[in-house]
C-alpha cells in the first residue's frame, strides 16, 4: 500500500515556530476585549454600567497576564532543574557567584592546618559515602557535596566552618555562598592532599653520597619537629605493624619508588593508586606532620583480600608481601602466565631449576631396608620466583655447657644459601629435591628466613637462630648456574648490597594461663639511606651508608654493623652495577 501524498507542500522558506514568549503574547492579544466604543456612542446611549464592564474586563486581562507570566517562570525553573540533573555538579545559584575580589579571601583566617589529616579514607562523616567528598579546612572532617541539603552545606550553617576543599579536583570553596577561592596561600594544603614530584626531584633523592650530612634534605613539620623525607614513622592503628614494615621496605626500592612517585594512577585500579599516594606522602618534603597513616591503603587491601589482612588483627609479613606483590602485578596490567610483564616482575622475578628424584625402598642381602634414588626418575623443570625461602637448621634442644645460658645459635647467610647451589638436597616425603639459581638474577632479591614452623600444640614454633651477614658485598656467584661456554675462572663476582631488612622481636607479655607467658610479635624495618651503592667502602665519601630503624612511629638511626644481631625475617638485596668497583666492605659470613 503506497503512502498518501501530502495535500499541501511545505514551504522551504517558512520561518521557525515562534518562541514561547511570543506565543504567550499572542494568546493575551486574543483574550483582550474589543476596544471601547467612541465617546459619541457612549454619550448617545451608554450608561455607567458599560464603563464598569470595560474596567472589569481590563482587570481580568491583567490577572490573566500575571498568571501566564507566573507559568512561564515555573517552566523556566523546571528547565533549569532538568539541565542541572544532566550535569555532574549542581548548578551554582545566583547568590553563589564569585564575589568581589576584595572579599574573595574571607574566612581564610579560620583555616587550621594542625587539624588537617588527609591520610584516612575519604568517606563522608555523616553518610559514609565516597562520592564528591569535601574536607573541612577548619576541623578536618570529611563531608559529601557542597550544594543545598548536603552534609557540607549544613555543617557550614550549623557549626560556622566555611572553607572546604574537594579531595579530587583540589578546588577550594566557601560555603554556604558556594564560590571558589583562588589564593596562593592554599597551595601548601593542595600539595599535602596529593604530593607531586618532578623527575629532577626524584633524581635528587639518590644523588646524595653516603655520609653526606650537608646534602641531606631535612624538613620541619608544623610542630617544629625535624624529619628526613622518606624516613618517617607510620601509624599503627591497632595491629597493622606487619603492613607498615612491608610498605617501608618497598618504598625504599629505587625502581619501585621512582615509578610510584612519577606515574599517574588516576585511571588505574584503587590498589596501585592508594599505594602510590602513600609512597608520595612518605617522601613528601612539605608535610604538615612527621608521620603518615596507611589507613586508606589497608582499607582497600582488606576489601581485595576478603578480610584476610585487617588493621585489627596481626598477620604474617611474608604472606602479606607475597599477596601484595602478586595483586600489584595484576593491577598494573601484568599477565598471569607470561613473565616480565610488569615492573614488579622486572624488579624481583628470577628463575631457578628444580630437580626432583623419587626415593625407593628395598632390602639388601642382610635384610636391611635401604632408601635409594633411581637416576632414571630425575625430573628437571624451571620455575619463576619472587621470593627466595631460606631454611634454618633445627635449633638445638640443649645448651652447650653450664654457663652458656644466653648463647643463641648462629649461622652465616652464605651457609643458608647453599640450598641453591644445585648440590644440597632436601627430602620431602618420598622425593629428593635440589635447587639451582639460573642466570641472570633479578636486580633485587627478596629473601625470606623461614623462622616459624607449624606445631600442633603451640600453633607455631619459632626458630631463634641468628643469621649473620654483612650489609655490603654478598657474592651470589657460587649459587648461580654458569652459562654454557664460560669457564669458571672467567666469572666475575655477582655482588649484592642490602637495601632493607625486616626483623622479628618477641616481647613477653603477662599471661596467667597454664601455658605460661605469651609472646607478642613486634616487627621492625631497617632501611638504608642513600641511593644505589657505588662499590666503594666509604672512604672519601663521609663513611658508610646510614641506616634507619623504624617501628611504627619510632624512627631512630642504627649502626649498619649491628644489623645481623637481630632476627632477620625478610631481606631485600640490590644488585651492584657493573663497573662500579670491587670493594665490598667485607664478606657476608
Amino acid at each position: 500500500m503506497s503512502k498518501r501524498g501530502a495535500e499541501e507542500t511545505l514551504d522551504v522558506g517558512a520561518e521557525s515556530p515562534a518562541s514561547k514568549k511570543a506565543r504567550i503574547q499572542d494568546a493575551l492579544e486574543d483574550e483582550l476585549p474589543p476596544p471601547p466604543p467612541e465617546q459619541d456612542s457612549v454619550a448617545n446611549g451608554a450608561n455607567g454600567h458599560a464603563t464598569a464592564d470595560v474596567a472589569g474586563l481590563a482587570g481580568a486581562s491583567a490577572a490573566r497576564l500575571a498568571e501566564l507570566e507566573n507559568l512561564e517562570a515555573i517552566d523556566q525553573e523546571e528547565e533549569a532543574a532538568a539541565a542541572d540533573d544532566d550535569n555532574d555538579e549542581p548548578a551554582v545559584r545566583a547568590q553563589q557567584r564569585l564575589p568581589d575580589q576584595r572579599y574573595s579571601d574571607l574566612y581564610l583566617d579560620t583555616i587550621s592546618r594542625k587539624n588537617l589529616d588527609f591520610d584516612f579514607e575519604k568517606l563522608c562523616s555523616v553518610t559514609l559515602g565516597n562520592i564528591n567528598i569535601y574536607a573541612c579546612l577548619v576541623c578536618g572532617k570529611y563531608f559529601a557535596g557542597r550544594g543545598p541539603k548536603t552534609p557540607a552545606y549544613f555543617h557550614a550553617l550549623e557549626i560556622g566552618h566555611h572553607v572546604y576543599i574537594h579531595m579530587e579536583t583540589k578546588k577550594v570553596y566557601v560555603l554556604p555562598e558556594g564560590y571558589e577561592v583562588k589564593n596562593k596561600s592554599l597551595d601548601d594544603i593542595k600539595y599535602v592532599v596529593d604530593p607531586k614530584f618532578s623527575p629532577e626531584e626524584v633524581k635528587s633523592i639518590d644523588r646524595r653520597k653516603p655520609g653526606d650530612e650537608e646534602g641531606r634534605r631535612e624538613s620541619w613539620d608544623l610542630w617544629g619537629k625535624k624529619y628526613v623525607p622518606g624516613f618517617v614513622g607510620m601509624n599503627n592503628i591497632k595491629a597493622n605493624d606487619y603492613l607498615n614494615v612491608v610498605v617501608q621496605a618497598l618504598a625504599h626500592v629505587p625502581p619501585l619508588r621512582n615509578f610510584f612517585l612519577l606515574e599517574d594512577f588516576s585511571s588505574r585500579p584503587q590498589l596501585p593508586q592508594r599505594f602510590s599516594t602513600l609512597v608520595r606522602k612518605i617522601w613528601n618534603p612539605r608535610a604538615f606532620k612527621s608521620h603518615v597513616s596507611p589507613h586508606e591503603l589497608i582499607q582497600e587491601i582488606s576489601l581485595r583480600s576478603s578480610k584476610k589482612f585487617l588493621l585489627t588483627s596481626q598477620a604474617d609479613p611474608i604472606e602479606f608481601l607475597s599477596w601484595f606483590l602478586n595483586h600489584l602485578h595484576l593491577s598494573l596490567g601484568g599477565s598471569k602466565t607470561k613473565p616480565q610483564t610488569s615492573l614488579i616482575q622486572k624488579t624481583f622475578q628470577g628463575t631457578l631449576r628444580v630437580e626432583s628424584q623419587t626415593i625407593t625402598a628395598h632390602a639388601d642381602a642382610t635384610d636391611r631396608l635401604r632408601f635409594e634414588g633411581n637416576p632414571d626418575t630425575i625430573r628437571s623443570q624451571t620455575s619463576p620466583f619472587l621470593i627466595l625461602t631460606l631454611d634454618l637448621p633445627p635449633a638445638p634442644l640443649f645448651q652447650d655447657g653450664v654457663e652458656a645460658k644466653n648463647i643463641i645459635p648462629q649461622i652465616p647467610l652464605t651457609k643458608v644459601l647453599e640450598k641453591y647451589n644445585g648440590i644440597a638436597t632436601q627430602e620431602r616425603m618420598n622425593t629428593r629435591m635440589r635447587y639451582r639459581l639460573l642466570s641472570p638474577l633479578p636486580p633485587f632479591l627478596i629473601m625470606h628466613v623461614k623462622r616459624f614452623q607449624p606445631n600442633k600444640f603451640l600453633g607455631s614454633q619459632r626458630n631463634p637462630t641468628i643469621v649473620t651477614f654483612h650489609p655490603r658485598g654478598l657474592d651470589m656467584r657460587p649459587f648461580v648456574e654458569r652459562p654454557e661456554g664460560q669457564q669458571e675462572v672467567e666469572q666475575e663476582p655477582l655482588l649484592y648490597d642490602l637495601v632493607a631488612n625486616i626483623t622479628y622481636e618477641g616481647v613477653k607479655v603477662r599471661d596467667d594461663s597454664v601455658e605460661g607467658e605469651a609472646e607478642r610479635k613486634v616487627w621492625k624495618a631497617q632501611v638504608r639511606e642513600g641511593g644505589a651503592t657505588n662499590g666503594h667502602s666509604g672512604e672519601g665519601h663521609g663513611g658508610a651508608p646510614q641506616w634507619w630503624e623504624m617501628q611504627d612511629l619510632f624512627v631512630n638511626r642504627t649502626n649498619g654493623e649491628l644489623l645481623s644481631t637481630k632476627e632477620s625475617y625478610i631481606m631485600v638485596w640490590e644488585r651492584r652495577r657493573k663497573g662500579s668497583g670491587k670493594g665490598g666492605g667485607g664478606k657476608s659470613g
Side-chain angles (χ1 to χ4, degrees), residues 39-168:
Q39 293 293 335
D40 296 339
S41 61
V42 173
N44 292 333
N47 52 16
H49 295 285
T51 304
D53 293 338
V54 172
L57 290 174
S61 300
R64 179 60 177 169
L65 177 61
E67 182 180 357
L68 292 175
E69 289 178 352
N70 188 21
L71 291 175
E72 181 184 7
I74 294 175
D75 292 340
Q76 291 178 355
E77 292 179 359
E78 292 177 354
E79 292 175 359
D84 291 343
D85 293 338
D86 296 336
N87 298 330
D88 294 337
E89 296 184 358
V92 181
R93 299 185 305 168
Q95 64 268 26
Q96 293 180 346
R97 295 173 183 173
L98 188 65
D100 194 340
Q101 188 67 23
R102 296 172 297 175
Y103 306 103
S104 61
D105 57 350
L106 288 176
Y107 306 115
L108 296 188
D109 57 339
T110 62
I111 296 177
S112 178
R113 286 171 170 80
K114 291 187 176 181
N115 292 336
L116 303 182
D117 189 356
F118 303 114
D119 294 341
F120 290 90
E121 191 176 10
K122 278 62 178 180
L123 296 178
C124 176
S125 58
V126 178
T127 64
L128 298 182
N130 59 352
I131 300 176
N132 202 19
I133 299 299
Y134 289 80
C136 176
L137 297 184
V138 181
C139 62
K141 295 181 180 179
Y142 292 147
F143 298 96
R146 63 181 176 90
K149 300 181 181 180
T150 59
Y153 190 86
F154 286 123
H155 183 72
L157 293 177
E158 296 175 357
I159 309 300
H161 297 172
H162 299 282
V163 190
Y164 297 81
I165 183 171
H166 194 274
M167 298 308 296
E168 293 184 3

Side-chain angles (χ1 to χ4, degrees), residues 40 103 159 254 258 286 300 481 489 496 550:
D40 296 339
Y103 306 103
I159 309 300
N258 298 345
R286 292 182 279 173
E300 178 65 19
E481 186 175 15
V489 294
Y496 276 79
M550 290 171 283

